[in-house]
Amino acid sequence: MDEGGSRIRRRVSVRKRNRPSLESVFAASPATELKHSDEEKEDEEMVAGSRRRKTVDVQPVEIIDSEEDMFGDYDSFAENSFLAQVDDLEQKYLQLPEHRNHATDHATEDLCSESDKHNTLNVTVVGDCTELNIGDHTKNQSRHEDVSIEPEADILYDVPSSQVLFFENLHNFSSDLGGPSTEEKDWNSSFPKTVNEEFPVNSREQPQQTVESSSKIRTSSDANRRKSLKDHLKSTMTGNAKAQTPIFSRTKQLKETLLSEEINVAKKTIESSSDDLGPFYSLPSKVRDLYVQFKGIEKLYEWQHTCLTLKSVQERKNLIYSLPTSGGKTLVAEILMLQELLCRRRDVLMILPYVAIVQEKISGLSSFGIELGFFVEEYAGSKGKFPPIKRREKKSLYIATIEKGHSLVNSLIETGRISSLGLVVVDELHMIGEGTRGAILEMTLAKILYTSKTTQIIGMSATLNNVEDLQKFLQAEYYTSQFRPYSDTLKKMDPDHLVALVTEVIPSYSCLVFCPTKKNCENVAEMICKSLSKEYLKHKEKEKQEVIKNLKNVSGGNLCRVLKHTIPFGVAYHHSGLTSDERKLLEEAYSTGVLCLFTCTSTLAAGVNLPARRVILRAPYVAKEFLKRNQYKQMIGRAGRAGIDSVGESILILQERDKQQVLELISKPLENCYSHLVEEFTKGIQTLFLSLIGLKIATNLDDIYRFMSGTFFGVQQKVLLKEKSLWEITLDSLRYLTEKGLLQKDTMCGSKEEFQNNFHITKLGRASFKGTIDLAYCDILYRDLKKGLEGLMLESLLHLIYLTTPYDMASQCDPDWMIYFRQFNQLSPAEQNVIALVGVSENFIGKKASGQAIRKKVDKNIVNRLYLSFILYTLLKETNIWSVSEKFNMPRGYIQSLLSAAAAFSSCVLHFCEELEEFWVYRALLGELTKKLTYCVKAELIPLMEVTGVLEGRARQLYNAGYKSLTHLANANPEVLIRTIDHLSRRQAKQIVSSAKMLLHEKAEALQEEVEELLRLPSDFPGLVASSTEKA
């Protein structure tokens, strides 16, 4: 206790008293200040003497809680007590002349030297509590956990508060006498070497001290000038006995305290931009442990460490970093995202190019979210809530495709929450120069830059060339490295040696053979298998049969003829013609080494992470187009990817006629990256202007032009604009939107100057940008929905399916007229009326099927769109892609792509209708249809398929095993899942359970938010408003 009256709670753990009852508890009243007069000390000793107990037996040391007697046999403050022994030893040293100046120092050293005798006193720090454990040194030492610090540590580091006060009091008393000597100063700085201070306790052998002898010692000159060691211990122990300590788990509190301290250190580090980065790049050490546990990453590459410790990263500047494929870019991004989520407590958006990669990343990071306490939310296809749920405490990591990321940013700007987004990470940043998707990505980043000055942008890619333009656009720093975890080589071989090149690697290692077309993939796979010996059939034979069995299960008993022949050899093809279920099963089999060779198209290079020891390019073509530099780099980048294989090599097979082009391909620099914002009019600049005005980011010509100057297009306008200026393009686009009825123009102060005009968005315009509808189709969609209300047929789903069939896929469709006619004749009369309503007659389809000439003009887009609707309608009824594929003579991969596109477009149409009151009837109907199109399975499997990574085949396996709901999966034991579900690896089982837990937590949190919102007192409550007015 210090003189200021501050009280420190201490917990004293000693041997229990040998008596039947342990229910006596010391009173918890505050400890009073100890007086220094002799009379009061004698009174206290008399009271202490009356409480003294004789030692009957020595009991084993036990950890005792606050309900038990704290002192046990050592509860006496006078004769035959531990304190008496301490006092006696201290006085002996005080009486010696050579020890008077620093008696306490010598007394303590002598006491410590006798610590091997009998019992010890252990002072242990636990959070902000201190335990004094007196126990048998030889038998019971292992029962106590002691936390020690290094001898070089500072005096105040991790020293219990009682000791700090003791040293301060000694210092104060010394100051009263004219200041401490040099020796005393040294003693003060060197005494607390460890947190465990040991003192001999031998209460059974020491002679009793009488009250009189104690009084004589206390009247000595040293006792008059300062408190003795005994008095300090007595004071502390009295306070400890009176202070109640709650029961807690020591190990748990230690862990929680450590985690809390590390997070606080990280927060201070980031806020102060200091060089002290904490245990793991400003993150709790638990993050490092999780990377070892979940991903097997024990150490970062040198370039990763350099990148994470860049001054620009510490100062939260925007950053672009570029490395070869497989250099380990994603890990850096993940660490930066975790810093934002855990340390700065802000949301993060990660934009990825494809749905498959989004789902792969969701599965990989859900485990981290569960362990570290943040949400991982999927924004891809038809999934995603706009605006996102505002969380009370936990932060969210949004993982989105390019299109969904744009919608998410729009909704955050609209609700005034864009500043809650602390970090945006963009993978494959070079895609900003690729058509429509590039234009959408540019719009997203431009809006973030314009509306939020606190949101950091990190862009990463393996294929960037004109990075200066991107730097200027993003106002970013640039970091690059040529690091690769292996050396790739280029060898030019004769095509006839393909089998020899493959057999040098498989089956011990994996191999990828890139082919120009999907058909070529299948042919090469079959050709290789014909040349392989039967020895290859024996390698992991049982596991390969399991793959074939699972492929049949997910395809309703069907199996592709080519795969049936090649899989026993460990070979398979991989292209967009496969269904999602088939693709996932084959990828899992390849990752686990069951399959050792994929013949694949270029799409695999830009997609999921499937590395190989050797990558072979069958020809330098993608379809009929010659290979581009960045495509080539992505393909060979699959060889020996970081953390998976230590070496890798790439081989390009070419004809003599392609030799010169290949040499140019290898030696020339990467293609430049150019903005497509203006090139993609309806999906680019016009959509951008509509959303700028709708979100009130910029509402007049002057502001819109200023915004455009800050875009990637604005940076490159001198290169891209030849005929018109940026000002003229801005005027033309606004004029087009006004004529289309999406914007209305207000003239300020009667001025006729166009640049002074203010614009506001119309209802149709708002519906279009909220639904992210391509502006080329928004008026057609409005007309179709309006017409649909005149005779909406709800007997079946056909009419609704037609209304949500994507417009852009109709142009790619080439109907088989005999199948068209056959499907038409199978429709009910009500369904045939729908066909007539949309403008296609039976006569037209019949003439087309029989090859007759048609005089009457019919809109080709409507006819094609209706054919696609038939495919989707049949698919929803049968829920079997294989049978529908055979019925319509179309590749099953194309049918699945159509289904995914229809689900996404249905979600867009739903948001479109929510903004227009006249379409209220569609809102409830489209919500259910979107769910059906998203999962396309029987109703009982939908809850399981909500979990990322669980497709129809896996969902059916889980359902049959008794896991019928999200709750079942969230509480499942991964080890049990492995035993009960065929062909399920431990990693997949853990990811499924983690994803289910994450989804369950998200739903629970959303319900809690709803409950709290309902119970919260409204801010405009009448009485509340009146009282606040009176106070004012």
Side-chain angles (χ1 to χ4, degrees):
M1 302 272 176
D2 63 1
E3 293 180 2
S6 61
R7 297 179 176 83
I8 301 155
R9 294 188 174 184
R10 292 291 178 265
R11 176 177 172 184
V12 181
S13 174
V14 296
R15 291 184 298 180
K16 292 183 182 178
R17 184 177 301 155
N18 187 17
R19 60 185 181 189
S21 175
L22 294 173
E23 295 177 357
S24 62
V25 182
F26 283 95
S29 60
T32 59
E33 293 184 356
L34 293 177
K35 311 278 178 145
H36 298 297
S37 67
D38 291 340
E39 291 180 357
E40 287 171 330
K41 288 182 180 177
E42 287 171 3
D43 289 340
E44 285 175 5
E45 294 232 357
M46 288 175 66
V47 173
S50 68
R51 292 203 311 261
R52 198 163 60 240
R53 299 287 183 269
K54 290 184 179 179
T55 304
V56 177
D57 191 17
V58 178
Q59 298 296 325
V61 176
E62 295 182 31
I63 302 300
I64 61 174
D65 58 26
S66 57
E67 296 297 319
E68 298 177 286
D69 185 11
M70 298 302 237
F71 291 104
D73 291 331
Y74 301 114
D75 60 351
S76 174
F77 284 168
E79 301 96 343
N80 195 27
S81 70
F82 164 66
L83 288 173
Q85 296 161 41
V86 172
D87 193 56
D88 182 46
L89 283 168
E90 184 186 31
Q91 300 309 321
K92 284 180 184 178
Y93 278 87
L94 283 170
Q95 289 167 10
L96 297 173
E98 64 271 26
H99 294 292
R100 289 186 189 277
N101 290 337
H102 41 275
T104 311
D105 183 18
H106 285 271
T108 307
E109 286 174 1
D110 283 5
L111 287 169
C112 293
S113 69
E114 294 177 23
S115 62
D116 59 341
K117 296 179 183 179
H118 304 287
N119 302 326
T120 63
L121 172 65
N122 297 327
V123 183
T124 306
V125 176
V126 183
D128 55 357
C129 298
T130 301
E131 293 185 5
L132 293 172
N133 299 332
I134 301 175
D136 188 83
H137 183 66
T138 57
K139 294 181 181 178
N140 304 299
Q141 191 176 22
S142 63
R143 296 206 182 190
H144 294 272
E145 290 182 31
D146 299 327
V147 182
S148 64
I149 61 175
E150 294 297 322
E152 296 82 16
D154 185 79
I155 186 170
L156 298 179
Y157 183 80
D158 273 357
V159 175
S161 305
S162 58
Q163 291 187 34
V164 175
L165 288 173
F166 174 58
F167 303 137
E168 286 176 353
N169 286 338
L170 285 177
H171 179 74
N172 291 338
F173 279 113
S174 299
S175 298
D176 291 340
L177 294 171
S181 66
T182 304
E183 289 177 325
E184 287 171 334
K185 286 180 182 176
D186 292 339
W187 177 80
N188 280 335
S189 62
S190 63
F191 180 73
K193 294 295 183 185
T194 62
V195 181
N196 303 324
E197 301 295 347
E198 301 185 345
F199 300 99
V201 179
N202 191 357
S203 59
R204 290 173 291 182
E205 296 177 12
Q206 288 283 352
Q208 286 193 343
Q209 292 274 10
T210 62
V211 176
E212 289 79 16
S213 64
S214 298
S215 298
K216 287 177 183 178
I217 294 170
R218 281 195 300 271
T219 55
S220 68
S221 59
D222 284 321
N224 287 332
R225 272 178 280 173
R226 62 181 186 184
K227 289 185 179 180
S228 70
L229 177 61
K230 171 191 167 182
D231 288 332
H232 281 286
L233 285 170
K234 179 178 172 183
S235 168
T236 302
M237 293 171 74
T238 304
N240 289 345
K242 291 181 178 179
Q244 285 195 358
T245 304
I247 300 170
F248 60 86
S249 165
R250 178 192 175 99
T251 307
K252 184 178 179 183
Q253 181 161 347
L254 278 169
K255 286 181 179 177
E256 288 177 354
T257 303
L258 181 63
L259 186 62
S260 176
E261 284 176 1
E262 288 178 347
I263 289 176
N264 287 334
V265 168
K267 281 181 182 176
K268 289 174 184 175
T269 299
I270 290 164
E271 286 168 6
S272 62
S273 299
S274 71
D275 294 327
D276 182 11
L277 294 179
F280 184 66
Y281 301 101
S282 303
L283 289 166
S285 54
K286 184 177 181 182
V287 175
R288 179 179 53 217
D289 299 338
L290 291 176
Y291 269 107
V292 175
Q293 181 185 341
F294 295 141
K295 299 193 174 186
I297 297 172
E298 296 183 2
K299 189 179 178 182
L300 273 64
Y301 293 121
E302 186 62 35
W303 82 263
Q304 291 171 329
H305 172 76
T306 304
C307 188
L308 286 167
T309 53
L310 287 172
K311 187 180 179 183
S312 55
V313 172
Q314 300 305 311
E315 293 174 355
R316 298 193 73 249
K317 291 181 180 177
N318 294 346
L319 176 72
I320 301 168
Y321 62 99
S322 175
L323 278 100
T325 301
S326 89
K329 301 185 302 294
T330 310
L331 179 60
V332 171
E334 286 180 9
I335 291 172
L336 292 173
M337 291 192 297
L338 291 173
Q339 285 179 357
E340 199 70 31
L341 289 161
L342 300 179
C343 304
R344 300 185 189 97
R345 306 290 298 159
R346 295 174 76 192
D347 297 329
V348 174
L349 168 62
M350 187 180 199
I351 298 175
L352 300 169
Y354 305 110
V355 175
I357 305 177
V358 169
Q359 292 176 341
E360 185 182 32
K361 189 59 68 179
I362 291 274
S363 298
L365 290 177
S366 289
S367 304
F368 285 84
I370 294 293
E371 293 290 335
L372 298 170
F374 61 86
F375 291 111
V376 182
E377 300 185 37
E378 180 180 350
Y379 281 78
S382 61
K383 293 183 178 180
K385 188 172 177 62
F386 303 104
I389 296 169
K390 193 174 183 179
R391 307 291 182 186
R392 291 175 304 149
E393 294 177 4
K394 292 185 179 180
K395 297 302 168 185
S396 293
L397 168 57
Y398 310 113
I399 302 182
T401 55
I402 291 170
E403 293 79 7
K404 286 290 180 178
H406 183 222
S407 299
L408 179 65
V409 168
N410 280 344
S411 67
L412 289 172
I413 293 171
E414 187 177 28
T415 52
R417 289 166 51 195
I418 189 65
S419 59
S420 67
L421 205 59
L423 174 65
V424 176
V425 174
V426 183
D427 193 13
E428 308 295 351
L429 185 61
H430 66 275
M431 289 190 73
I432 201 169
E434 295 182 12
T436 301
R437 306 192 80 209
I440 294 171
L441 181 57
E442 183 181 343
M443 285 189 276
T444 306
L445 296 175
K447 286 175 186 175
I448 293 167
L449 287 166
Y450 194 85
T451 57
S452 176
K453 302 303 178 188
T454 59
T455 303
Q456 184 184 16
I457 296 174
I458 303 286
M460 53 180 173
S461 177
T463 48
L464 286 178
N465 185 35
N466 57 334
V467 75
E468 297 82 8
D469 290 346
L470 280 167
Q471 273 185 269
K472 192 174 178 183
F473 165 47
L474 295 176
Q475 301 146 41
E477 302 286 324
Y478 181 60
Y479 176 81
T480 186
S481 170
Q482 292 305 310
F483 171 83
R484 286 279 285 169
Y486 69 96
S487 59
D488 64 328
T489 57
L490 180 71
K491 299 178 184 177
K492 302 177 182 69
M493 296 285 186
D494 187 82
D496 295 333
H497 293 164
L498 180 62
V499 174
L501 292 173
V502 165
T503 51
E504 285 178 3
V505 179
I506 65 170
S508 302
Y509 300 102
S510 56
C511 182
L512 293 175
V513 179
F514 283 101
C515 304
T517 65
K518 289 185 279 190
K519 189 64 182 171
N520 193 231
C521 287
E522 297 175 24
N523 292 340
V524 169
E526 282 194 290
M527 182 269 290
I528 289 172
C529 289
K530 285 176 184 175
S531 306
L532 293 177
S533 68
K534 291 184 180 180
E535 291 295 314
Y536 286 90
L537 295 170
K538 297 175 184 177
H539 181 74
K540 297 192 176 182
E541 186 176 3
K542 186 180 176 183
E543 290 91 337
K544 288 183 223 174
Q545 290 304 317
E546 199 66 39
V547 173
I548 291 173
K549 179 184 169 186
N550 285 318
L551 282 170
K552 286 183 177 179
N553 287 341
V554 300
S555 305
N558 298 289
L559 181 63
C560 168
R561 176 190 61 80
V562 176
L563 292 177
K564 186 177 180 180
H565 175 225
T566 62
I567 287 175
F569 288 93
V571 178
Y573 64 83
H574 185 290
H575 56 58
S576 60
L578 295 166
T579 66
S580 297
D581 283 309
E582 289 173 322
R583 203 157 46 238
K584 191 165 186 66
L585 275 173
L586 291 175
E587 286 167 3
E588 288 171 0
Y590 180 87
S591 297
T592 54
V594 177
L595 298 179
C596 52
L597 173 65
F598 266 172
T599 57
C600 49
T601 54
S602 61
T603 51
L604 184 141
V608 291
N609 188 16
L610 294 176
R613 171 62 67 91
R614 177 174 286 181
V615 170
I616 302 170
L617 278 69
R618 181 73 180 81
Y621 290 91
V622 173
K624 294 180 180 179
E625 291 185 11
F626 196 80
L627 203 61
K628 292 180 182 177
R629 168 80 171 167
N630 59 359
Q631 290 173 325
Y632 168 71
K633 293 293 283 184
Q634 281 189 327
M635 288 179 185
I636 65 171
R638 293 288 160 183
R641 286 175 75 86
I644 297 169
D645 207 343
S646 57
V647 295
E649 56 190 10
S650 64
I651 297 169
L652 173 60
I653 300 172
L654 70 153
Q655 303 291 336
E656 186 64 33
R657 65 175 184 270
D658 297 323
K659 189 174 180 180
Q660 189 58 39
Q661 278 182 289
V662 168
L663 289 172
E664 290 175 10
L665 170 75
I666 296 165
S667 58
K668 75 177 183 180
L670 294 168
E671 287 85 359
N672 283 322
C673 180
Y674 293 114
S675 170
H676 281 252
L677 198 58
V678 173
E679 197 174 307
E680 303 287 333
F681 272 119
T682 57
K683 286 188 176 180
I685 194 168
Q686 291 165 4
T687 299
L688 173 61
F689 288 175
L690 189 65
S691 62
L692 288 179
I693 294 164
L695 296 169
K696 297 179 181 176
I697 295 171
T699 55
N700 61 55
L701 186 55
D702 206 28
D703 289 344
I704 292 169
Y705 178 75
R706 194 180 303 114
F707 181 95
M708 278 299 295
S709 299
T711 61
F712 187 40
F713 178 81
V715 170
Q716 296 182 326
Q717 58 178 305
K718 289 181 181 178
V719 179
L720 299 176
L721 294 178
K722 304 296 182 186
E723 297 175 2
K724 289 184 177 181
S725 67
L726 180 57
W727 179 265
E728 288 173 318
I729 288 172
T730 304
L731 281 173
D732 289 347
S733 298
L734 290 170
R735 198 175 291 122
Y736 171 85
L737 292 170
T738 306
E739 289 170 1
K740 208 168 173 71
L742 303 173
L743 291 179
Q744 280 186 353
K745 187 164 53 177
D746 300 326
T747 304
M748 294 176 63
C749 306
S751 172
K752 294 182 181 179
E753 291 293 331
E754 201 160 9
F755 70 87
Q756 291 184 324
N757 288 337
N758 258 3
F759 293 88
H760 70 263
I761 197 166
T762 63
K763 287 184 177 179
L764 178 60
R766 179 168 293 281
S768 298
F769 107 78
K770 290 291 282 290
T772 60
I773 305 294
D774 185 343
L775 300 187
Y777 306 120
C778 63
D779 50 348
I780 302 171
L781 175 63
Y782 179 83
R783 190 170 62 245
D784 286 348
L785 290 170
K786 191 81 172 172
K787 192 175 181 181
L789 288 176
E790 297 171 11
L792 189 61
M793 194 277 292
L794 298 177
E795 185 180 298
S796 74
L797 290 172
L798 181 62
H799 199 172
L800 283 174
I801 288 171
Y802 172 77
L803 292 172
T804 56
T805 300
Y807 289 98
D808 53 355
M809 291 197 76
S811 58
Q812 306 165 18
C813 177
D814 186 18
D816 183 316
W817 294 105
M818 284 303 296
I819 295 172
Y820 207 149
F821 187 69
R822 197 181 304 127
Q823 289 298 314
F824 179 87
N825 288 329
Q826 291 174 6
L827 298 176
S828 68
E831 289 169 337
Q832 289 184 356
N833 288 338
V834 172
I835 309 305
L837 183 68
V838 301
V840 181
S841 65
E842 181 182 4
N843 184 43
F844 171 81
I845 299 171
K847 284 185 175 181
K848 274 288 194 182
S850 59
Q852 297 179 38
I854 308 281
R855 291 181 183 177
K856 186 181 177 182
K857 278 194 173 184
V858 177
D859 191 329
K860 184 184 176 183
N861 286 326
I862 293 176
V863 175
N864 289 0
R865 193 165 172 242
L866 184 61
Y867 187 69
L868 295 178
S869 302
F870 282 175
I871 297 172
L872 290 168
Y873 181 48
T874 309
L875 191 56
L876 286 186
K877 284 195 296 183
E878 299 184 12
T879 69
N880 187 319
I881 286 179
W882 278 83
S883 63
V884 175
S885 171
E886 290 174 8
K887 193 172 285 186
F888 286 88
N889 193 27
M890 282 184 152
R892 57 193 185 281
Y894 174 82
I895 290 174
Q896 184 144 62
S897 298
L898 171 64
L899 182 65
S900 300
F905 187 64
S906 176
S907 175
C908 292
V909 175
L910 174 59
H911 292 305
F912 180 89
C913 293
E914 284 173 344
E915 297 299 318
L916 297 168
E917 189 60 38
E918 60 202 289
F919 294 146
W920 62 271
V921 71
Y922 288 119
R923 294 174 199 166
L925 297 171
L926 290 177
E928 194 59 34
L929 178 65
T930 302
K931 189 178 280 189
K932 285 179 180 291
L933 288 169
T934 300
Y935 301 111
C936 193
V937 292
K938 292 179 180 177
E940 65 265 19
L941 298 182
I942 288 178
L944 299 177
M945 289 186 69
E946 287 180 356
V947 178
T948 304
V950 176
L951 299 174
E952 183 183 358
R954 186 72 77 207
R956 193 178 290 112
Q957 283 181 310
L958 291 166
Y959 188 86
N960 292 338
Y963 299 96
K964 300 184 178 181
S965 70
L966 186 63
T967 312
H968 285 163
L969 277 186
N971 291 288
N973 184 337
E975 297 302 323
V976 176
L977 280 180
I978 294 164
R979 291 196 296 271
T980 53
I981 306 299
D982 290 338
H983 206 66
L984 182 68
S985 70
R986 182 170 279 98
R987 182 180 63 85
Q988 293 157 4
K990 287 180 178 178
Q991 285 183 348
I992 287 172
V993 173
S994 294
S995 297
K997 282 181 180 177
M998 179 62 67
L999 200 57
L1000 198 64
H1001 288 180
E1002 284 176 18
K1003 291 188 174 185
E1005 185 86 5
L1007 290 172
Q1008 268 183 313
E1009 289 282 352
E1010 196 174 334
V1011 169
E1012 289 192 4
E1013 189 62 37
L1014 284 170
L1015 298 176
R1016 192 177 292 126
L1017 190 66
S1019 58
D1020 58 348
F1021 188 69
L1024 195 66
V1025 174
S1027 62
S1028 62
T1029 307
E1030 286 172 11
K1031 286 179 182 178

